[in-house]
Amino acid sequence: MAAECIVGAQWGDEGKGKVIDYFARKADYVVRWAGGGNAGHTILLPDGRKFVLHLLPAGVFHQGVVNVLGAGVVLDPWQVLEEMEALERAGLRVDPSRLRISLRAHMVLPWHKALDQAREKDGRPGRIGTTGKGIGPCYEDKAGRRGLRMADLASREGLASSLERLARERNLLLESLYGEAPIDPARVEASLVEAGERLLPFLEDTGLLLRKALGEGKSVLFEGAQGVLLDLDHGTYPYVTSSSASSGGVFSGAGIPFGGLDRVIGVAKAYTTRVGEGPFPSELHGEAGERLRKAGGEFGATTGRPRRCGWLDCAALRYSLALSGAREMVLTKLDVLSGQGPLKILASYEGMDGFPSSAGEVSRLRPRYEEVPGWDEPLGGVRSFEGLPGPARDYVLRVEDLTGVRISMVSVGPGRDEVFRR
Ligand code: GDP
Ligand code: IMO
Ligand code: MG
């Protein structure tokens, strides 16, 4: 394994956590390049314990892996400490030899969360259905060149004045526009300095670290957060997240030179889900959607919201796989389709080659479906392609045909070993 990148090929929750944990056993580094605590990556360990990681990379369950949060990540200092403490309570210590945090990563501060949540209150026009973790406002301040970075914690130089400047702008919005209480920068500073002291040993120029590692031929696994269809530039804008979820973001987010990737793998669920607002061409409403939600346990790993469910959208997949340069794919949750009766696959959008650039256009697409036979056998114990029932094999082959991308691995359950390669 050299430098590999794993991206979610849909709107998130494809099973990236499980797949990254699987690949991490052979990695030296596992690296997040974008996003923040909005991610929820679930990992089921062989002893049956289940963990949901939000900020920590999914390599933390393998000793010997160095986990990295790159410059493009936005990081809530209190949340990352909490996550480390939760792991420690479970007997897994994440010390500075196993987690490196970029000095350039921006901090998610209380104003960001408060603004995110204020904008998202029920009934507010323009709601995106965010996770409420402060991601959008934090990236706004980053792009507005008034954000605070982990480096500001390390030096503390000008920390108080930077916080005051941010507070002036953000409190104005919070109070005047949204009628929320202002947040006192002095109190944030005190708590931040305390968190900063604990985080200091983890901070580093992680770009330098990774460029060196790649130069030495180490195995580096880049972990996508969010799904490609939530990419800020290329997703279903404005119903997207505020970062580069596609593999293009790796270079700037992690700080490695272009061309540094040997392989991109797309992870796709055997059907589609989406959390929050925004167009979803193959969505199933009513009882049919409910049946998939129940079978797949489709509730958000970060917010607990019911996920919207629908058929596999191969037209959207063609777009996201091409965009991210994925020449192979891991198909997850095939087991969930057992007993769902005849299945549908969205094969194309009528009169549209590619993917529309506006959410309005996406919602007007006319999907063309293929109906294929389903199967009733449970797949949890299957460990080879040949072991699948005929219709499940045909399903996999049809998805390959429609997307033009090889399915190199199939996942048939949440456990680390409930998977087989092809
Ligand atoms: P991520 O955000 O892409 O890491 O995905 P999530 O963790 O949010 O959601 C995926 C859910 O599906 C988690 O509860 C996983 O434990 C579970 N899961 C992953 N792969 C499989 C699979 O092949 N079959 C089943 N039944 N569950 C799976
Ligand atoms: P993982 O990594 C599913 C969605 C939110 C919302 C939009 C913007 O587990 O796949 P944000 O809080 O990022 O500003 O919300 O993006 N979203 C996700 N949906 N899985 C995720 O992460 C998501 N991260 C953000 O629901 O629609
Ligand atoms: Mg998730």
Side-chain angles (χ1 to χ4, degrees), residues 13-15 18 267-271 273 292-293 295-299 307 330-338 375 379 395 410-414 418:
D13 306 324
E14 298 88 350
K18 170 188 163 153
V267 183
K269 217 180 290 208
Y271 48 100
T273 62
L292 262 184
R293 183 174 311 121
E298 295 297 350
F299 294 89
R307 293 173 179 154
V330 179
L331 193 69
T332 63
K333 301 190 94 160
L334 187 62
D335 54 302
V336 173
L337 293 182
S338 293
W375 61 89
L379 305 184
Y395 189 85
V410 178
S411 172
V412 289
E418 289 179 296

Side-chain angles (χ1 to χ4, degrees), residues 340-398:
Q340 295 284 325
L343 305 170
K344 282 189 182 173
I345 304 178
L346 192 160
S348 60
Y349 307 130
E350 246 172 62
M352 159 69 67
D353 192 21
F355 200 75
S357 52
S358 80
E361 257 183 286
V362 181
S363 59
R364 286 191 296 275
L365 288 170
R366 284 199 309 275
R368 202 179 58 74
Y369 289 98
E370 289 182 3
E371 190 167 302
V372 297
W375 61 89
D376 288 325
E377 298 87 330
L379 305 184
V382 176
R383 291 296 174 271
S384 70
F385 183 67
E386 293 68 33
L388 288 174
R393 278 199 305 265
D394 291 343
Y395 189 85
V396 171
L397 295 175
R398 189 64 193 137

Side-chain angles (χ1 to χ4, degrees), residues 11-13 16 38-41 129-131 226 230 240-241 275 305:
W11 280 284
D13 306 324
K16 298 178 288 296
N38 49 349
H41 294 178
T130 71
T131 59
Q226 286 67 60
L230 289 173
V240 293
T241 190
V275 200
R305 290 177 289 177

